[in-house]
Amino acid sequence: ISLKWESCPQTVLIMTKPNSVSVQILCAEMIRWLRRQKNLHIYVEPRVREELLTESSYFNFVETWNDDKEVLMLHTKVDLVITLGGDGTVLWAASMFKGPVPPIVPFSLGSLGFMTPFYSENYKECLESILKGPISITLRHRLICHVIRDAAKDEFETEEPILVLNEVTIDRGISSFLTNLECYCDNSFVTCVQGDGLILSTTSGSTAYSLAAGGSMVHPQVPGILFTPICPHSLSFRPLIFPEHVTLRVQVPFNSRSPAWASFDGKDRKQLAPGDALVCSMAPWPVPTACLVDSTNDFLRRAIEQLQLEIDLSFVKIEKWGVIWKLQKEL
């Protein structure tokens, strides 16, 4: 997928990984360059603006927001989002936009980087190319999640919807009992999950918690919802992948011995009491992230880099008599 600018971007939002001196230094350097060389308007988080002004009064031109109402209007002001961090920073940036999302340019400065193909050492060349356009993008699907309480009069009486880019997890929390979850797809019964919990993931989230729980790695442009059990008490339960148009409903049965807990991209934890349900479907607003090369090349390259690192750390190669022996380390 190629994106061509109708007019040159005028306003950029920069979001950063917190508590990192190297990220703070890069952020300040990047802002200076974007202002002096490209004359762009810059938005940052309130925390970042305070850090910049502590460093120098030069950054008075940098803008921010004061309340949630202004955050809701960011998509009308911002043309491009730049993230400096890992995948968590991309998730945080996406969560700022409850509707349409501007293109995100993710620079890798974190511990995990399946969604961050750009390297900070070449940020000037990367941003020159992106601001000029056209650019290749990956449209990353999101899930929209509704919690329906047992006391609700009907299925339309829900709590405020929550958007997730990676996954929603339903688990047993601190309870020592196994979680029992009744699962439905478009009102058709699928199964009753008995185990530590269940992950409903986007294909972008297939390389996150779902992968650790035994789910498949799926190309982010494949439209679908991953259904991955967490330590199921069954030898035959395998992960599933549902098509994008379905609605999934996960309900805590009335005879459950304990409540379940839902977390959305690792935060906003909510308790689900017996009779409560979580309903998930594909959101209409995907997250466009810029590609270094193209969607497939970036996905495979980052997957190989991340997973090969783990292989190299967990095995020692020993060559003896022309034979390579691979011994697993005791960690």
Side-chain angles (χ1 to χ4, degrees), residues 185-217:
C185 176
D186 288 342
N187 296 319
S188 296
F189 179 73
V190 177
T191 187
C192 182
V193 176
Q194 186 178 44
D196 283 354
L198 176 68
I199 302 166
L200 300 179
S201 169
T202 65
T203 49
S204 289
S206 70
T207 54
Y209 194 1
S210 176
L211 179 64
S216 298
M217 289 180 64

Side-chain angles (χ1 to χ4, degrees), residues 26-277:
L26 176 64
C27 179
E29 181 184 325
M30 185 178 289
I31 288 173
R32 286 193 183 94
W33 183 80
L34 289 170
R35 184 67 171 185
R36 292 171 179 171
Q37 301 298 321
K38 302 300 178 183
N39 196 31
L40 294 177
H41 300 288
I42 311 292
Y43 272 84
V44 296
E45 298 170 85
R47 165 188 60 83
V48 177
R49 189 173 191 273
E50 289 180 11
E51 293 172 353
L52 291 169
L53 291 176
T54 300
E55 178 184 327
S56 172
S57 60
Y58 167 80
F59 296 104
N60 267 320
F61 65 87
V62 176
E63 300 179 65
T64 189
W65 52 87
N66 298 311
D67 53 44
D68 292 341
K69 290 183 178 179
E70 291 185 35
V71 173
L72 291 175
M73 297 305 296
L74 272 179
H75 71 279
T76 64
K77 302 175 182 178
V78 173
D79 301 313
L80 188 70
V81 180
I82 298 172
T83 64
L84 306 178
D87 287 353
T89 311
V90 178
L91 296 180
W92 175 240
S95 71
M96 301 292 292
F97 300 91
K98 308 305 180 186
V101 186
I104 297 177
V105 183
F107 284 92
S108 178
L109 288 153
S111 56
L112 288 176
F114 284 100
M115 292 190 284
T116 53
F118 294 94
Y119 299 101
S120 59
E121 295 83 359
N122 307 317
Y123 80 84
K124 294 179 183 179
E125 294 83 356
C126 292
L127 292 178
E128 282 276 9
S129 175
I130 287 166
L131 292 172
K132 182 180 178 181
I135 59 174
S136 179
I137 61 170
T138 298
L139 285 179
R140 299 183 180 275
H141 304 279
R142 291 193 287 181
L143 298 179
I144 185 167
C145 307
H146 302 264
V147 173
I148 304 176
R149 299 298 178 184
D150 177 41
K153 296 177 182 178
D154 54 51
E155 63 181 7
F156 300 105
E157 187 179 327
T158 68
E159 297 183 1
E160 183 179 356
I162 300 175
L163 291 165
V164 297
L165 178 56
N166 262 4
E167 76 277 306
V168 53
T169 303
I170 307 102
D171 60 62
R172 64 181 182 172
I174 62 172
S175 172
S176 60
F177 298 114
L178 294 177
T179 297
N180 286 291
L181 302 170
E182 296 175 352
C183 304
Y184 301 85
C185 176
D186 288 342
N187 296 319
S188 296
F189 179 73
V190 177
T191 187
C192 182
V193 176
Q194 186 178 44
D196 283 354
L198 176 68
I199 302 166
L200 300 179
S201 169
T202 65
T203 49
S204 289
S206 70
T207 54
Y209 194 1
S210 176
L211 179 64
S216 298
M217 289 180 64
V218 185
H219 192 291
Q221 298 247 182
V222 175
I225 303 174
L226 281 70
F227 183 95
T228 309
I230 306 172
C231 297
H233 194 244
S234 168
L235 296 176
S236 59
F237 197 148
R238 293 293 179 265
L240 302 172
I241 301 177
F242 289 100
E244 61 178 325
H245 55 77
V246 304
T247 298
L248 298 178
R249 177 188 179 98
V250 180
Q251 184 163 345
V252 182
F254 288 101
N255 62 354
S256 177
R257 301 169 73 180
S258 62
W261 291 84
S263 58
F264 307 85
D265 277 343
K267 57 184 187 295
D268 299 327
R269 201 156 169 81
K270 292 179 179 289
Q271 182 175 337
L272 301 177
D276 293 348

